[in-house]
Amino acid sequence: MKKIKFYEIAKLNKQYENNFISNFKKINKNGRYILGKKVNIFEKKLADYCGAKYCVAVGNCVDAMKIVFMAYKIIGNLKDGDEVLVPANTYIASILGITSVNLKPIFTEPDNGTFNISIKDIKKKISKKTKAILAVDLYGQPADLFEIKKIAKKNNLILIEDAAQSLGAKIKNKMIGSVSDATCFSFFPGKNLGAFGDAGAITTNDKNLFKISKSLRNYGEDLFENLKDRKYKNTFKGVNSRMDEIQAAILIDKLRDFNKFQSKRKQIAKYYLNNIKNNKILLPKVDKIFDHGWHLFVIRCKSRNRLKRYLQKKNIETMIHYPIPPHKQKAFKELNKKRFNITEEITKEILSLPIYPTLKPSEFKRIVSILNNFK
């Protein structure tokens, strides 16, 4: 029986090879490899797609978060030691975006059904030291951003969104990337919109935040459009996090086809939701106000490890996102004694099923049939 892989990135990217080679030749002829015309075009196209006024292309999503927090420090909304509420149930990258700029993460439990940050727990954890909320759209499901935004406004907090997994998702018909004060995206190759290497972006409607972030990504240098106008004046202590022209070129091509591939992901997710019928398996909860991005299709099972082995024997690859929560990682040993019961329960039960756009109907139907026979 043919193996069903968890990812087939190379197969999806095959159709972009000729354009990639053509673009490489043009970029090489032009001689500008970083922050050139392609990057500008991609920034405009991504902002338009998200319904945001501004976009800053950067090296990756962690840098996007780091730069946003740095910018808010410059603006005066944040200072060293300020607390940022963040879900305990997330990938470590979300936490590193906070700690890398001398801010303090305060963990909140997730909602048990959606896996995302709990509104109830946000309200409990706000203190005088709280200055921001980092909402994470885990697996492609948007956090309850409008409710979080109300809480943020009431308490004079900044709302930053880690949308590494949710490009293309919506909440109340509003596109992710246009709701929060700043939204941070990842274009890691395995994401729904994946580059041929690392890349990321920030979207915002705040012009001042946009200008400062754009400066910070390039060593804090004063802004310039043409190389001849570059003054080598540095107003801020910035970082080196610049998208290159090659990544921008491939992302422009893939953004054009993005909705087509999202439709395929939704088709697979719908089939899973309607046809997986096994009382040992808990399906993801999707509220009607959300249009899920379906970066991952994550089920829960009390016998998760046994289920994974069962599927492996049937030639079906699965993955666990993520087996160890950040507060239990050695990197944050100072937090290892903390307990977040819902988060720790979830990490023992979750399993991600294949949901890539090139997955054939015969393959996802086979997955469902085998899942339904698990005992």
Side-chain angles (χ1 to χ4, degrees):
M1 193 178 289
K2 187 182 175 183
K3 189 173 192 176
I4 299 176
K5 296 180 180 179
F6 185 78
Y7 284 126
E8 278 197 328
I9 301 171
K11 186 177 179 180
L12 180 67
N13 285 342
K14 181 76 177 173
Q15 63 192 286
Y16 297 102
E17 281 184 3
N18 289 338
N19 264 10
F20 176 76
I21 293 165
S22 175
N23 277 316
F24 173 78
K25 288 178 178 178
K26 290 175 185 176
I27 291 164
N28 198 36
K29 185 178 180 181
N30 178 270
R32 180 149 181 195
Y33 302 95
I34 294 173
L35 296 185
K37 186 178 179 181
K38 293 288 185 185
V39 170
N40 291 337
I41 291 170
F42 175 68
E43 288 175 330
K44 178 69 168 62
K45 286 185 178 293
L46 186 68
D48 289 345
Y49 180 82
C50 294
K53 290 182 180 178
Y54 310 106
C55 174
V56 181
V58 296
N60 54 68
C61 192
V62 175
D63 280 356
M65 288 184 275
K66 181 177 180 178
I67 287 167
V68 166
F69 284 123
M70 289 171 70
Y72 276 119
K73 280 186 169 185
I74 289 166
I75 291 167
N77 296 110
L78 293 172
K79 64 180 186 304
D80 283 359
D82 282 345
E83 293 181 353
V84 180
L85 299 188
V86 62
N89 184 44
T90 186
Y91 183 52
I92 197 169
S94 307
I95 314 307
L96 292 172
I98 297 169
T99 59
S100 63
V101 287
N102 297 318
L103 298 172
K104 184 178 180 181
I106 301 296
F107 292 102
T108 65
E109 286 278 39
D111 176 88
N112 218 343
T114 65
F115 306 120
N116 277 332
I117 192 166
S118 163
I119 299 295
K120 186 178 178 181
D121 213 34
I122 287 174
K123 291 176 180 177
K124 281 167 55 178
K125 295 288 174 69
I126 290 175
S127 72
K128 289 181 180 178
K129 295 181 180 178
T130 309
K131 299 300 176 185
I133 301 170
L134 179 63
V136 181
D137 303 333
L138 203 61
Y139 313 140
Q141 166 102 302
D144 198 349
L145 295 172
F146 285 105
E147 284 303 311
I148 298 171
K149 203 169 182 178
K150 286 179 189 175
I151 297 167
K153 189 174 181 180
K154 183 179 177 182
N155 293 276
N156 197 29
L157 307 177
I158 302 159
L159 174 56
I160 299 162
E161 185 180 356
D162 177 352
Q165 301 181 353
S166 64
L167 181 66
K170 295 178 184 177
I171 177 168
K172 294 183 179 178
N173 289 318
K174 200 162 176 63
M175 194 68 78
I176 292 302
S178 64
V179 180
S180 303
D181 295 320
T183 307
C184 304
F185 293 104
S186 169
F187 308 117
F188 174 79
K191 293 297 192 289
N192 292 25
L193 182 68
F196 280 8
D198 266 326
I202 301 158
T203 59
T204 184
N205 291 321
D206 184 330
K207 191 173 184 178
N208 194 27
L209 181 71
F210 161 69
K211 285 184 174 181
I212 294 171
S213 298
K214 198 172 180 181
S215 169
L216 287 172
R217 73 173 174 187
N218 188 38
Y219 300 106
E221 197 171 312
D222 289 359
L223 300 182
F224 62 90
E225 291 301 327
N226 300 310
L227 283 174
K228 62 182 178 63
D229 297 325
R230 190 175 186 182
K231 305 297 183 187
Y232 291 97
K233 290 183 178 179
N234 298 72
T235 300
F236 309 117
K237 295 175 183 176
V239 296
N240 176 11
S241 185
R242 303 170 296 193
M243 184 181 284
D244 65 68
E245 288 287 275
I246 291 172
Q247 302 309 331
I250 189 64
L251 289 169
I252 290 166
D253 278 351
K254 294 179 83 172
L255 186 59
R256 183 186 61 241
D257 299 329
F258 185 68
N259 284 342
K260 177 178 69 176
F261 293 128
Q262 283 300 99
S263 294
K264 290 185 178 180
R265 288 179 180 272
K266 289 176 184 179
Q267 177 193 356
I268 298 165
K270 186 177 180 180
Y271 189 84
Y272 283 158
L273 290 168
N274 290 338
N275 293 282
I276 296 173
K277 301 194 183 294
N278 186 323
N279 59 16
K280 290 185 179 294
I281 295 170
L282 188 65
L283 297 174
K285 177 185 172 185
V286 185
D287 195 291
K288 288 181 180 178
I289 67 167
F290 300 106
D291 188 356
H292 203 302
W294 296 117
H295 172 56
L296 297 170
F297 191 96
V298 180
I299 58 174
R300 289 179 68 176
C301 179
K302 295 286 185 185
S303 307
R304 187 269 309 282
N305 293 341
R306 187 165 64 85
L307 175 58
K308 184 172 174 62
R309 289 193 298 270
Y310 165 79
L311 291 170
Q312 193 171 1
K313 285 179 183 178
K314 300 290 185 180
N315 274 332
I316 298 170
E317 282 187 353
T318 57
M319 288 189 71
I320 300 170
H321 298 88
Y322 303 94
I324 306 171
H327 70 282
K328 292 297 182 184
Q329 297 282 1
K330 284 185 179 179
F332 289 108
K333 58 186 177 182
E334 69 275 15
L335 302 173
N336 286 175
K337 290 182 180 180
K338 288 186 177 290
R339 292 295 305 272
F340 296 95
N341 294 332
I342 297 173
T343 295
E344 288 163 38
E345 179 186 344
I346 287 171
T347 58
K348 292 173 184 175
E349 298 179 1
I350 49 173
L351 189 67
S352 301
L353 303 180
I355 194 172
Y356 49 85
T358 56
L359 194 68
K360 297 174 184 175
S362 60
E363 291 175 320
F364 60 73
K365 287 177 181 179
R366 183 177 131 206
I367 291 168
V368 169
S369 177
I370 290 170
L371 280 171
N372 287 343
N373 287 323
F374 176 71
K375 294 177 183 178

